[in-house]
Each structure stands twice: as C-alpha cells, then as structure tokens.
Amino acid sequence: AQKVTQAQTEISVVEKEDVTLDCVYETRDTTYYLFWYKQPPSGELVFLIRRNSFDEQNEISGRYSWNFQKSTSSFNFTITASQVVDSAVYFCALSETGANSKLTFGKGITLSVRP
Amino acid sequence: ETGVTQTPRHLVMGMTNKKSLKCEQHLGHNAMYWYKQSAKKPLELMFVYNFKEQTENNSVPSRFSPECPNSSHLFLHLHTLQPEDSALYLCASSQLPPGQGSGSYEQYFGPGTRLTVT
C-alpha cells in the first residue's frame, strides 16, 4: 500500500523567508511518481511538479525547488524568498505505476506568508 | 473557457433534494475524475472515467451517481445526501494512455463545488 506523510500541518513565515515543506512517502514499487500540488484559497489544485522515481536530480523552477532523496523516501519542496501569494495549502502525492495506479495525497500543509 | 470548469461553485441542499454537479474540461484530455475533500482529511478519489467508461469507483455510496456523456463533460448526481457529505467536490482531468492507471500523469483540477447538506 502506498502512503504519503506530510508531518507539518501549518507553517507561518514572514515574506522573503525561505521555507521547506516536507514530504515522506511509502511504497513497495520500484517505479513510481511523485507530485506536488498547490491549493490557493480559490480552491482548485494547481499542478506544480511530477517526478519519476528513476530521476533523482533535484529541480529548480524560479523560486521553487524540489529535493528528491530516494534513500530517505522524501520529496521536499522549498520556496525561496517567499511571497504573500505563496500562501496556500500544498499537497504532496504519490502514484505507483500500472493499470491500477492512482494518486494518494498527503493531508496537506497550510502555508501562511505574512507581509 | 480554459482548463477545467465546475458549476455551481456553491450549493446548499437539504437531505431530500436532488441536485447535480457539472464539470467540463477544455484540455482535450480523455480521463476525468471526481474527488471529495473534507476538512482535516486527505483528498479522496471517488470515480474515474477513461474514454467515457467508468474505470474506478472507490466504494462510494449509491447516493452519488456519476455520469460521463463524453470525454469533456462529467456530472455528479446527488440524492438523499447526509450532512457528512458536506465537502468540497473537485473535478479533475488528465491525459491517460491505454492501459495506464489514473495516477500516472498529472491531473488538472477545477475550482470545486462547495457543498453543504442541511
């Protein structure tokens, strides 16, 4: 069975601070996918990144970066120089592969960025 | 319209009412999904449609009845709901190659319908 744990429930930072959102996953598969989604107050989940388990390269996209560590089963997300618009709930998700794969989401982390 | 749209955005209904939620995707995807998001709980996948065929039903009570007339439209028909069904109902779509499960590719979500059952 697959599982995603986001131990942090709420994080509050002041604008321009860096913040890291943790994600730990469990799976028996050797091939799987990891995702991060952002849910702003408007409600829709916004896709941020999809990572294949064979690709352990860290990724940077503007102020966002992701650190994939297979050895610790973690896929952490860092926002550099946070902004008020980053305030949202962030979900990490895992999917195994195959015809029966489906997304398993963590419970989400509520990030508040104060001016 | 772009992306995934959902109507209505808010709905209040009594336990004896019948209502429907509508979802439309403008992304050319072939798979559509219903999720339920309750407070303090992870997102729960309810139904998956691939090429208009229902491929997954995660033990959802029969008071929720999905309908997918084509690959761009998805409905969730509601009847005799309970107060614990109050939640945000999210629709999503993705491109899904044959033989692949729904988790393989990123999904694109609508803004949701906030449902309150009184």
Side-chain angles (χ1 to χ4, degrees):
Chain A
Q2 53 192 47
K3 183 179 176 182
V4 175
T5 301
Q6 295 182 262
Q8 304 151 310
T9 53
E10 294 184 16
I11 300 175
S12 182
V13 299
V14 176
E15 214 171 12
K16 297 185 184 173
E17 282 185 27
D18 298 348
V19 58
T20 295
L21 311 180
D22 298 333
C23 174
V24 174
Y25 61 91
E26 295 176 30
T27 176
R28 292 182 193 158
D29 272 16
T30 54
T31 304
Y32 49 90
Y33 300 100
L34 294 161
F35 303 79
W36 275 96
Y37 284 86
K38 172 183 178 181
Q39 186 176 35
S42 53
E44 79 277 17
L45 272 76
V46 177
F47 166 73
L48 296 178
I49 190 171
R50 169 179 176 260
R51 174 52 53 89
N52 183 310
S53 56
F54 288 115
D55 180 4
E56 289 195 68
Q57 268 197 323
N58 290 330
E59 180 151 343
I60 298 174
S61 176
R63 295 185 297 107
Y64 294 171
S65 62
W66 290 270
N67 183 1
F68 179 26
Q69 297 274 350
K70 227 172 180 178
S71 59
T72 56
S73 297
S74 65
F75 187 43
N76 296 338
F77 173 29
T78 296
I79 301 175
T80 303
S82 60
Q83 299 175 4
V84 173
V85 293
D86 296 327
S87 298
V89 183
Y90 290 86
F91 292 92
C92 180
L94 164 72
S95 170
E96 294 165 349
T97 57
N100 296 320
S101 72
K102 60 183 177 184
L103 283 177
T104 296
F105 286 86
K107 290 188 176 180
I109 302 169
T110 300
L111 173 65
S112 298
V113 181
R114 309 186 307 275
Chain B
E1 295 273 19
T2 57
V4 181
T5 57
Q6 289 187 244
T7 54
R9 294 294 309 275
H10 301 271
L11 178 62
V12 179
M13 60 185 289
M15 289 191 282
T16 57
N17 290 158
K18 288 186 182 180
K19 295 285 184 184
S20 296
L21 309 184
K22 179 183 175 182
C23 175
E24 186 173 357
Q25 60 97 359
H26 309 269
L27 300 168
H29 291 159
N30 60 2
M32 297 186 77
Y33 314 83
W34 280 117
Y35 285 86
K36 177 183 178 183
Q37 186 178 28
S38 305
K40 311 289 184 187
K41 286 187 179 180
L43 269 79
E44 302 171 53
L45 179 64
M46 300 174 71
F47 300 104
V48 179
Y49 276 83
N50 191 348
F51 290 103
K52 304 184 297 176
E53 299 294 324
Q54 188 181 126
T55 57
E56 197 152 342
N57 175 340
N58 280 327
S59 304
V60 180
S62 60
R63 56 186 184 268
F64 295 92
S65 174
E67 179 190 359
C68 188
N70 56 61
S71 57
S72 298
H73 294 85
L74 185 64
F75 295 90
L76 188 63
H77 303 300
L78 316 171
H79 66 96
T80 327
L81 293 192
Q82 305 297 310
E84 60 265 28
D85 296 322
S86 298
L88 181 67
Y89 288 85
L90 291 160
C91 174
S93 71
S94 76
Q95 196 57 31
L96 204 57
Q100 292 291 318
S102 63
S104 302
Y105 292 86
E106 57 269 26
Q107 297 174 15
Y108 293 84
F109 287 78
T113 295
R114 175 71 61 187
L115 173 67
T116 303
V117 181
T118 59

